[in-house]
Amino acid sequence: MARQLALLGLLAVSAAHAQLICSFETPEECALAKGSGARTEVVAQHATHGTKALQAVFPGNEKDSWPGVSFRPNPQLLLEKDQLVFDVFNPGSAPVQLSWRIDDANGKRIFGGTKIKPGAQTADLYLKTLGDQLALDRLTQIYLYVRCPRQDATLFFDRFRVQNFADDFVPLTHQETGPIVVPGPDDQARGYQLFARHWLDLVFPSSRPQPGETAVKLDAFATPGEAEPLVFSVLALKELAAAQVTASDLVAPSGARIPASAFSIYPVRCLDKRVTYSSKEFIRDLPVLLERRTSVTIPADTAKRFWLDLRVPADAVPGTYTGQATFVANGVPAATVPIRVRVLPFSLPEPADRFFGEYYQGPRLATGPEEERAFLERDMRDM
């Protein structure tokens, strides 16, 4: 099936949204940054905005030292955007660990840092998080320093600016490029079109039924005790309010039954997600979340997937079970989708030599031990 993600936007667009604070072109801008243990000079090398940049040499010392540059912008500028961003150039052959300390007039301090690889890059401080921990409107300095350098390290700084977090990202938007099935008269009359594709094949809000997808039936097999997804999608030809899916009992010819309660039914929610952790590109409206929601509103000209999670009872009798799923929304006729599930005559053993887990970085936004414990308990329950 021919589908693609289209690149919409240019990195240069983000520059239009940034507000420049300092690029060392005027005496007033140069006065915002002063060396404190570091030797600083405004030079004509490695400028990224205008013709000048700030060269900072952090002298090595056998004794522990913290040479740095004290940057003192107008605090009010930091309240208007999400991020403080600046350009850095490392002329050396080895990375330099740049640290920073942010001070406010109340005596609070926040520490952070990043590794500056050889060559040019940008560094950013996420101001929204900092605003929860210190008084940004009373900020006294941002101290950029190298911790305990044993030999000289040189960095060039330029283009200090504030911008919104989203301004630095480029959206990738899904576009259907293959043939689509045009809604027929019956679809037009009821206000929607049903289609189904494999659960590993994504359905975006902009997805459209393609040939072979509109004869919707849900067919699966599973072992007793196993969970298996069944999915189908609805293309709303007009806004559909209170849209929901229900499932019937599944019944075998022998009279054996899998109750409707074995299904958990979720509308699939789409979110904007980065391509990778470090990428500046993100996929718009990527289907990623199964919502615990009874019904949803589907806007006109929008595709919505429904995920039926079937947990076959551990004592299910082997055989072929049939039933149906029903889609209904306010003001439109209901539609039924046949379900066929084959329960296999064996069970899968639980692996005893595997540990399954997930990434978790802890309650990073907690402000004290009590809140940290509450956040931790909440997160563990959620997992």
Side-chain angles (χ1 to χ4, degrees):
M1 295 181 183
R3 301 182 182 94
Q4 67 177 14
L5 291 175
L7 182 64
L8 299 181
L10 299 171
L11 285 174
V13 173
S14 65
H17 300 282
Q19 181 175 353
L20 184 67
I21 295 177
C22 174
S23 62
F24 306 103
E25 300 298 310
T26 67
E28 292 77 16
E29 290 181 342
C30 295
L32 297 178
K34 297 292 184 182
S36 179
R39 301 189 298 270
T40 59
E41 181 183 1
V42 176
V43 297
Q45 292 85 35
H46 307 299
T48 58
H49 183 273
T51 61
K52 299 175 182 177
L54 181 72
Q55 180 187 47
V57 179
F58 305 88
N61 198 319
E62 289 302 316
K63 296 182 180 181
D64 291 350
S65 61
W66 293 264
V69 177
S70 178
F71 180 59
R72 299 173 183 266
N74 181 348
Q76 294 302 315
L77 294 176
L78 305 181
L79 303 177
E80 299 175 4
K81 301 284 186 178
D82 294 340
Q83 290 178 296
L84 173 68
V85 184
F86 54 92
D87 300 334
V88 193
F89 185 87
N90 176 4
S93 59
V96 174
Q97 183 63 39
L98 178 67
S99 300
W100 52 70
R101 191 190 76 218
I102 306 168
D103 305 342
D104 72 8
N106 299 328
K108 291 187 177 181
R109 293 178 170 182
I110 299 294
F111 292 85
T114 189
K115 183 176 291 186
I116 307 300
K117 299 177 183 179
Q121 68 182 74
T122 60
D124 58 83
L125 288 73
Y126 192 43
L127 299 172
K128 187 166 290 188
T129 300
L130 296 178
D132 295 333
Q133 302 174 68
L134 48 70
L136 279 179
D137 59 340
R138 303 192 66 202
L139 182 140
T140 57
Q141 73 165 344
I142 298 171
Y143 187 59
L144 305 171
Y145 66 97
V146 175
R147 182 180 181 275
C148 303
R150 298 309 180 204
Q151 57 187 10
D152 288 2
T154 301
L155 295 174
F156 293 81
F157 298 94
D158 201 10
R159 202 161 62 108
F160 284 80
R161 66 227 185 243
V162 287
Q163 65 184 42
N164 286 325
F165 185 71
D167 293 341
D168 205 25
F169 289 84
V170 179
L172 301 174
T173 302
H174 170 265
Q175 293 179 344
E176 291 283 5
T177 56
I180 64 172
V181 178
V182 177
D186 292 343
D187 298 323
Q188 295 286 358
R190 69 184 179 182
Y192 58 90
Q193 185 180 22
L194 299 183
F195 66 103
R197 59 183 58 155
H198 193 277
W199 61 271
L200 285 175
D201 197 357
L202 301 179
V203 173
F204 292 83
S206 57
S207 293
R208 295 296 181 264
Q210 299 202 343
E213 296 182 341
T214 54
V216 180
K217 57 182 180 179
L218 305 180
D219 202 344
F221 64 88
T223 62
E226 188 180 2
E228 186 68 19
L230 300 97
V231 299
F232 71 94
S233 301
V234 178
L235 173 60
L237 305 179
K238 63 179 181 179
E239 182 176 288
L240 302 176
Q244 62 178 309
V245 171
T246 57
S248 69
D249 291 351
L250 303 181
V251 183
S254 65
R257 187 175 296 267
I258 296 175
S261 59
F263 285 97
S264 296
I265 301 175
Y266 308 98
V268 178
R269 183 177 178 183
C270 299
L271 301 172
D272 295 343
K273 301 293 290 185
R274 289 195 207 188
V275 175
T276 63
Y277 286 121
S278 59
S279 176
K280 290 298 185 182
E281 297 176 353
F282 70 92
I283 301 174
R284 192 186 297 281
D285 291 326
L286 182 68
V288 293
L289 182 65
L290 303 182
E291 286 198 290
R292 296 184 184 275
R293 182 177 292 192
T294 303
S295 65
V296 294
T297 295
I298 310 175
D301 300 318
T302 300
K304 186 74 170 181
R305 170 174 271 181
F306 290 88
W307 186 285
L308 291 74
D309 194 33
L310 172 63
R311 295 189 175 271
V312 179
D315 58 356
V317 177
T320 300
Y321 294 74
T322 58
Q324 66 182 30
T326 300
F327 172 78
V328 66
N330 284 353
V332 298
T336 58
V337 175
I339 299 175
R340 178 180 177 271
V341 176
R342 185 160 56 99
V343 177
L344 303 177
F346 58 88
S347 297
L348 297 174
E350 188 73 24
D353 59 344
R354 298 286 187 274
F355 175 79
F356 297 95
E358 58 185 276
Y359 288 106
Y360 177 60
Q361 295 182 320
R364 302 176 68 183
L365 298 181
T367 58
E370 291 185 3
E371 191 175 50
E372 182 175 303
R373 182 177 181 83
F375 280 25
L376 187 62
E377 288 184 355
R378 178 203 64 187
D379 293 346
M380 293 295 107
R381 291 181 187 276
D382 182 59
M383 291 185 204

